[in-house]
Amino acid sequence: SELTGEVEFENVDFGYNPDKIVLHDINMYAKPGQKIAFVGSTGAGKTTITNLINRFYDIQDGKIRYDNINIGKIRKPDLRRSLGIVLQDTHLFTGTVMDNIRYGKLDATDEECIKAAKLANAHDFIKRLPDGYNTVLTGDGSNLSQGQRQLLAIARAAVADPPALILDEATSSIDTRTEAMVSKGMDALMEGRTSFVIAHRLSTVKDADCIMVMEQGRIIERGTHDQLIDMKGRYYQLYTG
Ligand code: CTP
Ligand code: MG
């Protein structure tokens, strides 16, 4: 992809139904490689913003720019492949582990897939599967644990090598050790890419370049963890209980 991962929203208004605006006047700027976190209560608009980053919908008003190209109103169905990979959305299919990773970039070589799996922290568990990379996954990857599926999703994203990533952190319970493996893989994947993270873990939020605090479709506070704590506003409330 020729995109650098620079993303800008300027005065964006959006509603799934034009009669009911759910995002109001969203302004944000992500430099290539930055990590932007979204926090806020349920229904605040976090997922909706990430849907717009991927251009799943037309916006009502404003501009969304990638590298100064306004993509807010043009249809680009393949954008998802070139810009944001959504990690929660990975569908594993019947086929080998290798083919499931390769799905991120169909012409990737075995070596590239293995390199991606190593970066994703998935290589070790794959090597321990009965047939390693040639192990066949059943339908939806149901012969893997949830944590293993997440590691494969990270490997698939790594092989696609997108300039930006969208992560909707799973709240689902995986054990602490697997969680640590997944975190490590995600950190490696995010390195050098613009990352938009809907964060549920404080550890993820803490090291973000900018945290967007959302409420009823608006960004009501923004800043680093330390800045927001000093502000003693909504974020402070969220994280001090
Ligand atoms: N909404 C809608 N139609 C959809 C999806 C969402 O009208 N297809 C509305 C929701 O009812 C909500 C608003 O859009 O009022 C924002 O929803 P969403 O972005 O999904 O909120 P999140 O902040 O992601 O909430 P959660 O933490 O529960 O995921
Ligand atoms: Mg959501």
Side-chain angles (χ1 to χ4, degrees), residues 22 26 29 37-38 47-48 53 65 72 78 81 92 101 110 115 121 124 127 161-162 178 194 215 218 231 235-236 238:
V22 299
I26 301 296
Y29 176 70
F38 297 99
T47 299
T48 304
I53 292 167
R65 294 193 195 91
D78 63 338
R81 272 196 172 283
L92 299 174
I101 295 172
D110 286 2
K115 193 174 159 216
N121 211 19
D124 290 345
K127 292 298 278 183
D161 193 22
T178 313
T194 311
E215 205 63 77
R218 295 174 199 275
M231 222 179 269
Y235 181 85
Y236 179 83
L238 283 172

Side-chain angles (χ1 to χ4, degrees), residues 16 20 22 40-49 57 198:
Y16 291 92
K20 188 190 163 230
V22 299
S41 41
T42 183
K46 306 178 296 292
T47 299
T48 304
I49 287 201
Y57 301 93
I198 298 176

Side-chain angles (χ1 to χ4, degrees), residues 3 7 15 19 49 51 60-61 76 104 132 135 154 159 172 215:
L3 296 170
V7 179
D19 299 335
I49 287 201
N51 284 341
Q60 267 71 45
D61 208 359
K76 242 188 133 183
T135 304
I154 298 168
V159 91
S172 52
E215 205 63 77

Side-chain angles (χ1 to χ4, degrees), residues 9-13 24-28 59 61-63:
F9 276 47
E10 188 184 308
N11 307 118
V12 171
D13 292 329
H24 304 271
D25 199 25
I26 301 296
N27 289 284
M28 64 172 189
I59 59 175
D61 208 359
K63 294 190 170 82

Side-chain angles (χ1 to χ4, degrees), residues 23-231:
L23 288 182
H24 304 271
D25 199 25
I26 301 296
N27 289 284
M28 64 172 189
Y29 176 70
K31 268 196 235 176
Q34 279 191 330
K35 177 170 170 181
I36 310 291
F38 297 99
V39 301
S41 41
T42 183
K46 306 178 296 292
T47 299
T48 304
I49 287 201
T50 60
N51 284 341
L52 295 185
I53 292 167
N54 261 333
R55 278 294 288 114
F56 289 163
Y57 301 93
D58 288 330
I59 59 175
Q60 267 71 45
D61 208 359
K63 294 190 170 82
I64 299 175
R65 294 193 195 91
Y66 295 164
D67 292 315
N68 278 319
I69 307 160
N70 182 7
I71 56 94
K73 283 190 170 120
I74 52 168
R75 291 251 165 231
K76 242 188 133 183
D78 63 338
L79 211 54
R80 180 167 186 176
R81 272 196 172 283
S82 61
L83 188 87
I85 300 260
V86 187
L87 270 177
Q88 260 54 45
D89 236 24
T90 304
H91 295 288
L92 299 174
F93 52 83
T94 304
T96 64
V97 167
M98 187 72 89
D99 286 342
N100 270 278
I101 295 172
R102 196 179 342 262
Y103 189 73
K105 181 180 160 224
L106 296 174
D107 61 352
T109 62
D110 286 2
E111 287 67 32
E112 286 179 278
C113 293
I114 293 168
K115 193 174 159 216
K118 284 182 175 163
L119 180 125
N121 211 19
H123 180 72
D124 290 345
F125 101 77
I126 295 169
K127 292 298 278 183
R128 286 196 304 270
L129 293 173
D131 293 308
Y133 283 86
N134 296 320
T135 304
V136 174
L137 302 182
T138 53
D140 50 0
S142 55
N143 50 342
L144 295 179
S145 75
Q146 204 188 345
Q148 290 170 335
R149 288 199 295 272
Q150 287 186 21
L151 291 172
L152 277 195
I154 298 168
R156 182 186 282 179
V159 91
D161 193 22
L165 286 168
I166 295 163
L167 313 179
D168 205 334
E169 269 186 359
T171 41
S172 52
S173 50
I174 48 176
D175 65 87
T176 320
R177 201 178 142 266
T178 313
E179 158 106 38
M181 289 182 64
V182 170
S183 281
K184 196 176 154 212
M186 287 213 182
D187 285 348
L189 180 64
M190 285 192 279
E191 184 67 41
R193 305 176 206 281
T194 311
S195 307
F196 298 95
V197 188
I198 298 176
H200 299 290
R201 286 191 300 248
L202 185 56
S203 59
T204 308
V205 178
K206 259 188 147 164
D207 72 344
D209 295 292
C210 188
I211 302 160
M212 307 287 182
V213 185
M214 298 199 63
E215 205 63 77
Q216 294 181 13
R218 295 174 199 275
I219 297 171
I220 58 162
E221 286 172 11
R222 72 180 75 198
T224 62
H225 174 80
D226 290 345
Q227 288 166 341
L228 290 170
I229 290 294
D230 285 349
M231 222 179 269

